[in-house]
Amino acid sequence: MSQNLQREERWNQDFSPPHLPKSPRFRTLDSASGTSDLDKLWKPPPNRDYEPCVAPSPYYASPPEPRGYLLVHANGGLNQMRAGICDMVAVARIINATLVIPELDKRSFWQDSSNFSDVFDEAHFINSLTNDIRVIKKLPKELVAATRAVKHFRSWSGVEYYEEEIASMWEEYQVIRAAKSDSRLANNNLPLDIQKLRCRACYQALRFAPTIEAMGKLLVERMRAFGPYIALHLRYEKDMLAFSGCTHDLSQEEAEELTAIRENTTWWKVKEIDPIEQRAKGYCPLTPKEVGMFLSLLGFSSNTPIYIAAGEIYGGDSRMADLRSRFPLLMNKETLATFEELEPFTNHASQMAALDYIVSVESDIFIPSYSGNMARAVEGHRRFLGHRKTILPDSKALVRLFDKIELGTMKEGKNMASRVIEIHKRRQGSPRKRKGPISGTKGTDRFRSEEAFYVNPLPDCLCQKESRYTNSSRIRR
């Protein structure tokens, strides 16, 4: 029987949770509550009665007659494009434009040829925003050859910039083209109705194409056959390591390969990176080996089902050996689905990333090894859906501990487990207001230091039941 047929037959069977030996436990039964620490690990954080509140206010009017057309080039990977598209919905509302279905990035590192309708449900997107903006599939024929204003919108801009500088361009042009979509709208200090529109766009209008949604749901069901599961966003792919300059535990040959990629990728601005300093500051993704230690120290048992949300891991199976030895139940798209089921998506990085996104959002626990675009997008979506448990590793603190293990000055045991658990008590997705800029920062650095809007849509789009009509857009300073 072929491998594909065996795999297909396997999924026609009824699954029962696997019974594998448990790894050593560093914590014991809580005698006061009778609840084991393992049960606590899986328990979601208190939601404090927060729920989505994205309906427009009574003062939100129907969209007036548009003054022109907004073309958008959505740049970056899937999650960078998603955030940018949702921001451009808000920008179209602010400048009173008809939004033409955005063009997805085909020139990024991933070289994905997907169009908007290949990744997203185009009809649903258009219809869902009817009361907010007008969205059309293509520019009218009579305007295709018309002179258009090509503009790099200023990063993290407020309403005044768009109303005064960008909207004034309608006096000369019927078409404005946004050359980039990422981080073009401020995170904070925008009208509450604009913030709620961003959430409606992101969490209601911009859903994935039906074929992707169906495949994602199937993957979730197959993971659920193993019981509660962790989705681990293991950001240990070649592009991330090259971009971040992280070479810990890599060979000299591998480090040189990554350096060459960074130097030859023209749109990556930073070329000279000190990998030791980068790791010490917590700016590197945890290695698969480090992730394995982290999960063990938190107290997860070896029979924990783990979905690996990632592309091709740099170094392949050998790099995954330590993690797999601790947690044998590692699954990904390729092990959960047949070749034939995945074939329509395989050569399209954005579509494959969308599958990982769905399985991650629906997981019992989400853990990213690096705070990149996908990690932040999934964290925000899980907050919006009820503050589902998301454990955010403190990489800076963890690498110090892991280095002590490597030097032999500490052992991976009860004392270290207690320290790791304590460090991460408040890093599990509990409700809190979005963080403002770091004190003392100025200009672009000030905006860059803020917590991004889609990482935490509270308070704008999440309200406590008793105060849903008194919510404001203030942030914690």
Side-chain angles (χ1 to χ4, degrees):
M1 187 182 293
S2 71
Q3 186 177 1
N4 287 335
L5 285 174
Q6 285 178 331
R7 192 183 293 162
E8 197 165 13
E9 181 177 278
R10 183 177 49 154
W11 289 116
N12 288 329
Q13 301 168 0
D14 291 328
F15 277 93
S16 59
H19 300 284
L20 298 178
K22 292 184 177 180
S23 62
R25 293 276 296 284
F26 299 124
R27 292 274 177 114
T28 57
L29 193 73
D30 184 337
S31 57
S33 64
T35 304
S36 72
D37 288 326
L38 200 58
D39 292 334
K40 290 180 182 178
L41 265 178
W42 291 95
K43 186 179 179 181
N47 186 38
R48 289 167 39 200
D49 289 329
Y50 277 100
E51 60 184 11
C53 53
V54 297
S57 74
Y59 309 104
Y60 190 76
S62 298
E65 188 66 26
R67 297 182 65 186
Y69 297 86
L70 177 62
L71 299 177
V72 173
H73 173 250
N75 62 297
L78 172 70
N79 294 289
Q80 194 174 345
M81 290 192 291
R82 284 184 76 251
I85 289 167
C86 297
D87 281 355
M88 289 301 113
V89 167
V91 168
R93 172 81 188 192
I94 294 168
I95 67 174
N96 193 14
T98 292
L99 177 66
V100 181
I101 286 291
E103 170 197 351
L104 302 190
D105 196 336
K106 296 177 173 63
R107 295 173 294 177
S108 67
F109 182 90
W110 301 275
Q111 298 290 299
D112 189 343
S113 62
S114 297
N115 294 315
F116 188 96
S117 59
D118 297 320
V119 181
F120 303 109
D121 188 333
E122 189 173 79
H124 178 78
F125 181 72
I126 293 171
N127 295 333
S128 294
L129 296 169
T130 300
N131 296 324
D132 303 296
I133 60 170
R134 182 172 174 239
V135 185
I136 59 174
K137 293 183 179 182
K138 293 181 180 180
L139 202 61
K141 289 182 181 179
E142 64 271 18
L143 291 176
V144 170
T147 303
R148 60 191 65 170
V150 179
K151 185 76 174 176
H152 285 262
F153 296 161
R154 194 177 66 198
S155 298
W156 297 295
S157 293
V159 168
E160 296 78 12
Y161 167 79
Y162 285 104
E163 286 181 337
E164 295 170 11
E165 184 168 332
I166 303 302
S168 66
M169 299 173 74
W170 294 134
E171 296 171 12
E172 294 183 51
Y173 301 96
Q174 289 180 277
V175 181
I176 298 173
R177 183 176 187 271
K180 284 189 173 184
S181 63
D182 65 316
S183 305
R184 303 295 133 174
L185 196 57
N187 293 308
N188 305 302
N189 303 316
L190 296 178
L192 188 56
D193 270 327
I194 291 298
Q195 299 289 57
K196 289 182 183 295
L197 173 56
R198 295 168 90 177
C199 287
R200 291 198 299 279
C202 189
Y203 305 124
Q204 296 178 356
L206 195 62
R207 70 185 184 194
F208 294 117
T211 52
I212 294 174
E213 289 281 353
M215 190 67 229
K217 182 180 178 182
L218 190 61
L219 293 173
V220 171
E221 289 173 355
R222 290 175 180 177
M223 278 305 301
R224 290 251 176 262
F226 291 93
Y229 72 92
I230 293 172
L232 172 62
H233 182 43
L234 192 57
R235 195 68 170 95
Y236 206 76
E237 298 109 330
K238 184 184 289 187
D239 66 296
M240 173 47 64
L241 296 175
F243 174 77
S244 61
C246 298
T247 60
H248 179 71
D249 261 359
L250 299 182
S251 68
Q252 183 65 30
E253 185 181 353
E254 288 171 325
E256 289 173 358
E257 179 189 21
L258 297 175
T259 301
I261 292 171
R262 185 169 64 255
E263 290 175 349
N264 293 326
T265 305
T266 54
W267 56 88
W268 290 350
K269 296 178 182 178
V270 181
K271 304 297 182 182
E272 295 296 324
I273 298 175
D274 182 339
I276 297 174
E277 182 183 342
Q278 191 83 334
R279 181 170 177 269
K281 289 181 177 179
Y283 296 159
C284 286
L286 296 176
T287 69
K289 179 181 178 180
E290 290 170 338
V291 169
M293 285 193 284
F294 176 55
L295 295 178
S296 293
L297 289 164
L298 285 176
F300 287 105
S301 57
S302 64
N303 63 350
T304 302
I306 299 176
Y307 178 85
I308 303 294
E312 185 178 348
I313 301 300
Y314 190 59
D317 290 342
S318 62
R319 193 79 68 207
M320 294 291 289
D322 283 292
L323 176 59
R324 192 177 296 280
S325 69
R326 292 173 182 264
F327 298 95
L329 286 179
L330 297 182
M331 266 75 69
N332 57 20
K333 299 179 291 293
E334 291 76 14
T335 57
L336 290 172
T338 66
F339 173 83
E340 289 79 11
E341 286 172 327
L342 280 181
E343 191 173 19
F345 316 103
T346 300
N347 294 320
H348 302 283
S350 292
Q351 297 179 46
M352 293 289 271
L355 296 176
D356 281 341
Y357 184 95
I358 292 169
V359 183
S360 297
V361 167
E362 294 300 323
S363 64
D364 297 275
I365 300 176
F366 175 65
I367 303 177
S369 67
Y370 178 79
S371 182
N373 290 317
M374 176 166 166
R376 292 193 291 264
V378 171
E379 178 190 351
H381 203 154
R382 289 172 66 85
R383 286 182 179 278
F384 183 79
L385 292 173
H387 292 91
R388 297 175 178 178
K389 190 161 193 172
T390 299
I391 302 177
L392 303 174
D394 185 338
S395 297
K396 186 176 180 179
L398 286 173
V399 297
R400 289 176 183 171
L401 294 175
F402 296 154
D403 286 347
K404 288 179 179 180
I405 293 176
E406 205 165 301
L407 292 169
T409 57
M410 278 191 82
K411 292 183 179 180
E412 186 184 344
K414 186 176 180 179
N415 290 338
M416 181 172 283
S418 296
R419 291 181 67 173
V420 169
I421 290 168
E422 185 63 33
I423 290 167
H424 291 88
K425 270 187 176 178
R426 291 177 176 81
R427 300 177 66 91
Q428 301 191 23
S430 297
R432 59 168 176 77
K433 289 185 178 181
R434 189 168 58 257
K435 296 175 184 176
I438 294 174
S439 179
T441 54
K442 295 180 180 179
T444 303
D445 287 340
R446 182 172 176 81
F447 292 118
R448 200 182 300 276
S449 72
E450 293 177 333
E451 187 171 31
F453 178 79
Y454 298 106
V455 176
N456 185 4
L458 194 159
D460 316 86
C461 303
L462 290 165
C463 310
Q464 286 180 299
K465 289 178 183 177
E466 68 275 14
S467 61
R468 60 186 297 119
Y469 298 109
T470 59
N471 188 35
S472 72
S473 188
R474 288 176 296 182
I475 57 173
R476 179 158 64 88
R477 297 289 174 181

